[in-house]
Amino acid sequence: MAATNFDVNYEDERFTQVEGDKQQALTELEQTYGGIVNQTDQFYQAQIDASKQWADTQSQLQQEQTDFTIEQIEQQKDQAQKDYNKEQSGAYVDWQKQSNQYGVEAERQASAGMDGTGFSESAQVSMYNTYQNRVAVARESYQKAVLNYNNAIKDAQLQNNSKLAEIAYQALQKELELSLQGFQYKNQLIIEQANKKQEIDNTY
């Protein structure tokens, strides 16, 4: 009986055909997964960009709200200044009317026979004290109002800083979350691609 020859001829065109098919399958696999990875990068980057845009918009809106609040407080402060000036001026005018030697009060005292008496001088001092008290009370009230308005402005600024920090933190958390999801999904794709390559190797 003749011995059978089992030597493999690697030059056989069938081997070349199988190797060509294997390379084509690997190329198609690379293109498919490469496209998916690119789309994944674009998808997650678009979401990260949207998160940044959201943060910018929220920050701008927050800043505008704070600026408006401060503007309103400044207007109230200006009004307090006007009210103070008005009260100070009114007190002065009233004092001038009362203490005028030719005014109504002087005539009243003269008709009562008190002109040039100690009572007249005492009335002048009393009127001046009343004027000074009105001015002092108005000044104190104004200073308290200014302090309150300044505190309100500082409070608005602190709240604004706190809110802006919160917006930045939320945006950062979202960006980190999206980056991690994108990273994990790409790793999953790379593992799948490696498994598919192994399957192709095993098949061919």
Side-chain angles (χ1 to χ4, degrees):
M1 184 173 176
T4 309
N5 184 359
F6 288 106
D7 288 345
V8 177
N9 177 8
Y10 289 103
E11 299 300 318
D12 189 310
E13 67 180 42
R14 289 175 291 179
F15 279 112
T16 308
Q17 179 64 39
V18 166
E19 187 58 32
D21 290 348
K22 176 183 168 186
Q23 286 309 317
Q24 184 179 348
L26 287 171
T27 301
E28 288 173 2
L29 182 71
E30 287 287 334
Q31 289 173 346
T32 301
Y33 275 88
I36 293 171
V37 166
N38 270 345
Q39 288 174 351
T40 298
D41 283 344
Q42 290 170 4
F43 173 76
Y44 281 101
Q45 189 57 52
Q47 289 191 64
I48 287 169
D49 291 345
S51 174
K52 288 178 180 175
Q53 186 177 3
W54 173 86
D56 289 345
T57 302
Q58 293 303 308
S59 296
Q60 183 181 348
L61 291 172
Q62 177 60 35
Q63 189 61 54
E64 286 172 4
Q65 179 62 46
T66 300
D67 291 346
F68 180 63
T69 300
I70 290 172
E71 183 183 336
Q72 287 179 313
I73 294 168
E74 290 289 358
Q75 288 169 357
Q76 292 167 348
K77 207 161 112 176
D78 288 346
Q79 187 59 50
Q81 171 77 50
K82 289 174 186 168
D83 291 345
Y84 166 66
N85 291 342
K86 191 174 174 183
E87 175 61 17
Q88 189 180 31
S89 176
Y92 181 76
V93 168
D94 288 349
W95 173 64
Q96 285 291 348
K97 282 180 187 174
Q98 288 176 338
S99 64
N100 185 347
Q101 61 180 338
Y102 304 109
V104 174
E105 185 64 24
E107 285 181 22
R108 190 179 64 76
Q109 287 182 14
S111 69
M114 294 187 271
D115 193 24
T117 66
F119 178 80
S120 176
E121 290 303 315
S122 150
Q124 286 290 335
V125 169
S126 175
M127 285 182 273
Y128 183 73
N129 287 341
T130 301
Y131 159 67
Q132 289 295 328
N133 285 340
R134 274 182 70 182
V135 170
V137 167
R139 184 182 304 115
E140 185 180 352
S141 176
Y142 169 69
Q143 287 171 341
K144 280 183 184 175
V146 167
L147 180 64
N148 288 338
Y149 290 137
N150 287 341
N151 286 343
I153 288 171
K154 191 68 180 166
D155 185 49
Q157 290 168 334
L158 290 173
Q159 285 182 22
N160 183 53
N161 290 344
S162 171
K163 189 66 179 168
L164 290 176
E166 185 183 332
I167 289 167
Y169 175 75
Q170 288 173 348
L172 178 62
Q173 289 294 97
K174 189 64 179 171
E175 288 166 32
L176 291 173
E177 180 187 325
L178 289 166
S179 295
L180 181 60
Q181 286 175 3
F183 173 76
Q184 289 172 336
Y185 186 62
K186 279 172 66 174
N187 274 355
Q188 182 184 339
L189 288 172
I190 290 166
I191 291 167
E192 280 180 25
Q193 185 179 13
N195 289 339
K196 295 288 184 191
K197 281 183 179 178
Q198 189 61 48
E199 283 178 23
I200 288 170
D201 276 342
N202 291 345
T203 301
Y204 287 97

